[in-house]
Amino acid sequence: MIKRGATATVLVSGMLVAGLAQAEYSAGDEIKVLQGFKAGGGSDTLAQLTQPFLSEALGVDFVNEYLPGATGAIAWTRLAKQSQADGTVISITNTPMLMTNYIMNDAISYSVDEMTPIANVVTDPGIIVVPADSPYETVEDFLAAAEASPGTITVGNSGVGGDDFFSTILIEQATGLSFQKVPFQGDGPSATAAMGGQVDASFNNLGNVYGHIEAGSLRALAVFSAERLEMLADVPTMTEKGVEVVAGSSRGYSAPADIPEEAREQLIAAFESLKNNEEFQQTARDRALNLDIRTGDDYQQMIKDMETQYEQIWEEVKDQVNE
Amino acid sequence: MDNSLIMTGLVNVLSFTNVALVIGGTLLGLFVGAMPGLSATMALALLLPLTFSMEPASGLSMLAALYVGASYGGSIAAILLRTPGTPSAAATVLDGFPLSQQGKAGQALGVSLFASFFGGLLSGVALLTAAPLLGVMVLKFGPVELFAIAVLGITIIGSLSQGSVISGLLSGALGLLLSTVGMDLITGTPRMTFGNINLFSGIEFTVALIGLFSIPQALLLIEKAHGTQKVASRITDRLIPRLSELRHLMPNILRSSGIGIVTGLIPGTGGDTASWFAYNEAKRFARDKSRFGKGDLAGVAAPEAANNAVVGGALIPTIALGIPGSSSTAILLGALMVQGILPGPNLLTDYGDVTYTLIWAVIMANIGLLVVGLMFTRMCVAVTRIPDSFVACAIITLCVIGAFAINNSLFEVGLMLGFGLFGYWMQKAGISPAPMVIGLILGPVMETSFQQSMLIGQGRMGIFLDSPIAVVLLCIAALSILQATPLFRWLRTAVGGRRQTQR
């Protein structure tokens, strides 16, 4: 794609030159962003939302480089192993995918220890949706049905290794129930299968199904967030129902390990400034993105906690999946 | 349906800026489509950020025009250079390129353009009038039905095998085998990847396609570069097909458009599948099947009408249900989201003004395509006057760029060249690459939907007989297989008494 200059207010793309530079980024005037997925996907949406604002805060240009393949692992391997650790290369990191990639596959050799987590930006909470004409009116109905006939209630997810797959296992472990998990190629097809009644339920993410819930073509039973969501105030959380599961799909930014401390602090400060940026918050709301900004050590902690949690889960279930 | 919204949409599109953007978008689409490796999806994704600051009608018009333009553009290189510009144009090669070799490139391109126009226009009309009706159909297609479609698609291999059936089946089986490379959907286990993470998401279909068709063609051109004088196409007068010709092709175009619309609206299948289905049906319905593969205009019209009809077809579930029918429409859906519209079944009602604008933009884009296409294509035909050795080098260069652009990685370039050498060998051995391409397209669909069906049906094979749609499709598949066996020929001779000429 062509890099283009723009004057003042017209922010056209994520790799724009900001009109006004307010600060001078210590590592240079250009940051390359490795994206592990195709242009136009969820990661790109985040880039297009965030980077114009960051560009202004840091006074740098962002250049997106799309390296799709192996559910992001190609880009993340490049980030961890083959990128200059000087703060000029960062990547959009999707959790839990970032960790489950190498937890599940020995051939994927990077790990989060070879990265510097900068900031998480959005979290799309997990959600249980059922067809509009489903017999399950509440999450209790749903869990009761699973208890009555173990392993037969079909539950769609976005693919093995994705967050929906793991949140299904988390719920199975927390409740002692078992579902028939049906993987699809992404959130969209999983939701569609629920709409068509091909599966009894889909464990999905709010952003993908919100429009359908609003329009009544899918019914939300429960969300996997810590507290009830503003957008769906009458949908209970799993925690309320005594099932301690909080899960979702998050996207943020990370750099290679050992980047200069000054660059790291400047990047973190740029993300911190998004918290108080009214225009940014409004744009995110318009695009139905659920902001969850956690920077620096907080993001690192979030990643480490998840890594431990998913390593344990995979250790317990891998034989069952591979049988 | 609210008629005032329909009119609002029309008025939104018919402004000077938007018409200009439609023409610009179509041109860009034609260009992107004609380049092997650059796809409509890629161009849409890259253009999307530019539309953020535009009026919804302007942005959508441009994106829709790009999508429509690219769907036709793929046939240009397919006909002129035997290099399908897009996966959807692979079937066009079979008859388009022989026509070009006979000096009828202009005629082939003209038919392709008009077929694309009619296909696109019909799908646009279907979109405008029957979207909510057809949209409901989409939800009936789950993994079980998708599996049946894939099985039906695989049977096309039987009728495509020019010459030896055995080598056709071999080529198809090889395609199916290669389609299993990559992570298993159910277990996440990498298969046949040799620990190379570049292969984890499987072999990129476009990479194989470029290699199998284009590289052998370039090598053949180099072989013959100093030999015979090539037949230059003189077509300036024949780009617009004769009325009698069009009338003759019309039933074919209508049927192919229907196939395109239906294939487009089923999520999981798109232009690449539709064009093969349409080609196969055109052959099935043709009186003289022997001309297929040697330069029959019907063999160009069918896939091209179908792959442009897919555009409207894929938009039907997108606007009726908020479910994208293809990866390209997923990006168009993204364009709607940026305008503050959340995907859902209320696009036609709550956001009717924007949605009808999109529909009209598709229709307008097809008219734009006809006008812009005529001029653009006239220019492209000049390629046939360039010496072969230059063309060969240009093809290889474009292939390398195209393969690289898919994932921005050199690995794909190497893979493409590997497929190229294999394709060259196949060419020499007289094995058609077309069945292999079908295997590669449908293999993943078939495998995934089979595994999903087994999970949903608790491992019970009977699940395929529970769905009426699947039963009908599987029966047609069984018939198609029967039709390709000597038994069927024997039956026909016995019953009809009409002698079948030996092929």
Side-chain angles (χ1 to χ4, degrees), chain A residues 1 4 10-14 38-40 44 48 65-71 73-74 77-78 101 104-105 107-108 151-154 159-160 180-185 192-193 195-199 207-208 210-212 214-215 217 231 286-288 314 321-323, chain B residues 41-42 45-53 138-143 145 183-190 195-201 204 267 321-323 330-331 337-338 340-346 406-409 444 448 451-458:
Chain A
M1 201 164 159
R4 54 177 58 234
V10 192
L11 291 173
V12 189
S13 103
K38 296 204 177 216
D44 208 19
Q48 310 294 0
E65 189 173 337
Y66 303 91
L67 300 167
T71 55
I74 290 177
T77 307
R78 173 86 70 92
N101 263 345
M104 292 172 56
N105 271 315
I108 296 176
T152 57
I153 304 284
T154 51
V160 172
Q180 176 65 274
K181 293 183 280 293
V182 185
F184 287 86
Q185 281 157 319
T192 308
M195 254 182 271
Q198 277 102 22
V199 288
N208 294 302
Y210 182 68
H212 294 290
E214 284 290 278
S217 49
M231 295 162 94
D286 289 347
R287 297 184 196 170
W314 184 244
V321 174
N322 283 326
E323 76 189 0
Chain B
T41 315
M42 206 183 287
L46 293 179
L47 208 60
L48 182 62
L50 287 180
T51 66
F52 287 177
S53 58
V138 174
L139 292 180
K140 304 220 182 301
F141 283 85
E145 291 77 13
M183 269 190 264
D184 181 281
L185 176 81
I186 308 295
T187 63
T189 315
N196 186 335
I197 66 170
N198 289 303
L199 284 172
F200 274 26
S201 5
E204 195 73 48
L321 302 165
I323 301 166
I331 291 171
M337 283 178 78
V338 170
I341 295 171
L342 292 183
N346 46 2
I406 291 165
N407 283 342
N408 290 326
S409 118
T448 306
Q451 287 187 318
Q452 285 164 343
S453 304
M454 286 296 102
L455 288 173
I456 290 170
Q458 316 280 338

Side-chain angles (χ1 to χ4, degrees), chain B residues 163-307:
Chain B
S164 157
V165 178
I166 300 290
S167 69
L169 290 178
L170 174 76
S171 167
L174 217 52
L176 285 174
L177 180 71
L178 285 174
S179 77
T180 61
V181 173
M183 269 190 264
D184 181 281
L185 176 81
I186 308 295
T187 63
T189 315
R191 300 176 301 193
M192 298 200 277
T193 59
F194 309 102
N196 186 335
I197 66 170
N198 289 303
L199 284 172
F200 274 26
S201 5
I203 291 173
E204 195 73 48
F205 166 65
T206 319
V207 170
L209 185 73
I210 299 175
L212 285 175
F213 281 100
S214 317
I215 297 290
Q217 173 61 17
L219 294 178
L220 287 179
L221 284 180
I222 292 171
E223 271 182 15
K224 301 186 301 196
H226 301 292
T228 48
Q229 190 63 38
K230 64 191 284 188
V231 193
S233 295
R234 310 191 47 81
I235 37 54
T236 26
D237 49 337
R238 285 303 312 277
L239 206 49
I240 300 170
R242 286 201 193 92
L243 214 57
S244 62
E245 227 166 55
L246 272 182
R247 205 179 307 133
H248 181 65
L249 288 170
M250 227 8 148
N252 178 4
I253 291 177
L254 289 177
R255 178 179 57 241
S256 304
S257 304
I259 292 174
I261 293 171
V262 174
T263 318
L265 76 92
I266 300 165
T269 55
D272 43 5
T273 323
S275 52
W276 288 111
F277 271 121
Y279 183 85
N280 190 47
E281 292 314 310
K283 192 170 173 183
R284 198 199 302 265
F285 280 88
R287 277 198 206 94
D288 180 12
K289 294 180 178 45
S290 64
R291 286 184 53 219
F292 275 82
K294 300 192 185 88
D296 194 322
L297 283 176
V300 173
E304 284 306 311
N307 68 29

Side-chain angles (χ1 to χ4, degrees), chain B residues 50 88 142 147 152 187 200 229 232 253 300 324-325 356 401 436 462-463 483 491 497:
Chain B
L50 287 180
S88 321
F147 174 73
L152 178 61
T187 63
F200 274 26
Q229 190 63 38
I253 291 177
V300 173
Y356 280 109
I401 296 172
M436 189 162 163
I463 188 166
Q483 212 173 1
L491 272 177

Side-chain angles (χ1 to χ4, degrees), chain B residues 26 28-34 38-41 44 64-76 85-89 92 112 116-117 120 271 275 303-312 328 366 369:
Chain B
T26 315
L28 196 62
L30 282 172
F31 178 75
V32 168
L38 304 187
S39 65
T41 315
L44 283 173
L66 177 79
Y67 188 14
V68 169
S71 297
Y72 162 69
S75 74
I76 299 178
T86 55
S88 321
T92 314
S112 160
S116 296
F117 165 71
S275 52
E304 284 306 311
N307 68 29
N308 269 59
V310 162
V311 174
S328 298
N366 275 293
L369 171 69

